[in-house]
Amino acid sequence: MQELLSLTFMQNAFLGGILVSIACGIVGSLVVINRMTFIAGGISHAAYGGIGLAFYFGIAPLLGATVFSIFLALLVAFITLKDKERFDSIVGAIWAFGMAFGIILIDLTPGYNVDLMSYLFGSILAIDKNTLYFVSMVDIIFIIMMCVFYRQFCAISFDSEFARLKGVNSTLFYYVLVAMMALCVVGTIQVVGLILVISLMTIPPYIAEIFSKRLGEMMVYSAIISSIFCIVGLLLSYKFDITSGASIIMVASIFFFMVVIFKRLKSL
């Protein structure tokens, strides 16, 4: 273990996994409580359009993915607020558009061959300092948002109508939440990839909800559980030479099914 931690890329990978877990613990809990998993999935896949845009115009992938994801997230929020009945079709269309747009732009990028798999399934072992700084900033933003607006997020999550009567601007906080989802997705891309990011945002919060009485507790437990999944998944990927993102999600999924089965047996 000491030899493993002496490797710089493994230090960055462990730190990146913990930082991403904090973001996913906060936003993922809100996603699960508000039942917005499908919207989060749509944003995560549509973010690939931003990566394609970045490579086509020669800018940083993180910048392209961030701007494009936030734009599509706000678009999703605007449309779904007006049409709740067909939001699944709308999200599905934006999901498909983002993926197709990104792939086409990468195909059109002259003289550049992008490793599609690293963005779809993650490459936490290749995480760099810029990504660590970005995720750290995202964590700081999320923590400040929760410290300042915790009551408002609780109100809109558990009873949006009551929150509106109490003077909480539910529409504004809906936009803010969707934008936070976009930032969380971009920060998590390198760890588990666009395809698997939704798992890291939903599985730990689902497990944490069982042991939590408050939303704040759920966020903390979710971040801890997610960190454990990332660390165990990294160790397994290093030992057996398998894809790190898939290894992390496999650990999370196995634990998820164990919890589900335990709950079912306990209820019987």
Side-chain angles (χ1 to χ4, degrees):
M1 186 65 177
Q2 188 175 358
E3 180 184 350
L4 192 64
L5 291 175
S6 66
L7 302 171
T8 303
F9 72 92
M10 286 302 294
Q11 293 173 5
N12 290 341
F14 282 122
L15 180 57
I18 293 170
L19 291 173
V20 162
S21 295
I22 295 171
C24 288
I26 294 171
V27 176
S29 298
L30 292 170
V31 168
V32 170
I33 291 294
N34 287 277
R35 299 183 181 181
M36 297 172 68
T37 303
F38 189 66
I39 294 178
I43 294 171
S44 66
H45 287 74
Y48 194 74
I51 294 172
L53 204 63
F55 282 111
Y56 185 79
F57 288 104
I59 60 177
L62 269 178
L63 176 61
T66 301
V67 174
F68 192 77
S69 298
I70 291 177
F71 169 74
L72 284 185
L74 295 177
L75 179 62
V76 167
F78 175 76
I79 296 174
T80 53
L81 273 173
K82 301 295 182 181
D83 190 359
K84 294 281 188 182
E85 295 181 358
R86 292 287 179 266
F87 91 95
D88 54 342
S89 300
I90 296 165
V91 174
I94 292 176
W95 177 328
F97 164 76
M99 290 290 291
F101 184 65
I103 292 170
I104 290 171
L105 284 179
I106 287 176
D107 288 341
L108 295 175
T109 302
Y112 198 92
N113 184 22
V114 179
D115 181 11
L116 185 68
M117 296 293 286
S118 66
Y119 290 101
L120 293 180
F121 297 100
S123 182
I124 191 173
L125 297 178
I127 201 168
D128 56 14
K129 294 293 184 182
N130 289 333
T131 304
L132 292 177
Y133 292 144
F134 176 82
V135 182
S136 298
M137 287 302 299
V138 169
D139 285 347
I140 292 170
I141 292 170
F142 289 174
I143 291 170
I144 292 173
M145 290 290 293
M146 287 303 107
C147 290
V148 177
F149 300 111
Y150 176 75
R151 290 186 178 181
Q152 288 85 342
F153 278 110
C154 283
I156 66 167
S157 297
F158 294 104
D159 195 337
S160 59
E161 291 298 326
F162 179 75
R164 198 174 289 113
L165 291 173
K166 286 292 185 179
V168 177
N169 192 335
S170 300
T171 301
L172 174 61
F173 279 98
Y174 182 72
Y175 278 102
V176 171
L177 175 54
V178 175
M180 288 171 64
M181 287 163 53
L183 282 175
C184 186
V185 163
V186 175
T188 314
I189 286 174
Q190 186 134 16
V191 177
V192 292
L194 296 173
I195 300 296
L196 304 175
V197 62
I198 192 62
S199 301
L200 203 60
M201 287 177 66
T202 55
I203 292 177
Y206 173 85
I207 298 171
E209 189 178 15
I210 300 171
F211 307 102
S212 309
K213 295 181 179 179
R214 298 179 181 87
L215 179 60
E217 290 181 0
M218 181 178 172
M219 291 177 176
V220 173
Y221 294 159
S222 177
I224 294 172
I225 293 169
S226 181
S227 297
I228 293 171
F229 291 160
C230 287
I231 292 170
V232 174
L234 271 171
L235 292 174
L236 291 175
S237 70
Y238 182 82
K239 181 175 179 61
F240 297 105
D241 192 23
I242 55 179
T243 304
S244 54
S247 177
I248 292 169
I249 299 304
M250 183 58 68
V251 171
S253 300
I254 291 172
F255 198 81
F256 169 78
F257 289 120
M258 288 172 60
V259 170
V260 170
I261 292 171
F262 176 78
K263 280 184 65 180
R264 182 61 58 88
L265 293 175
K266 189 176 179 180
S267 65
L268 293 176

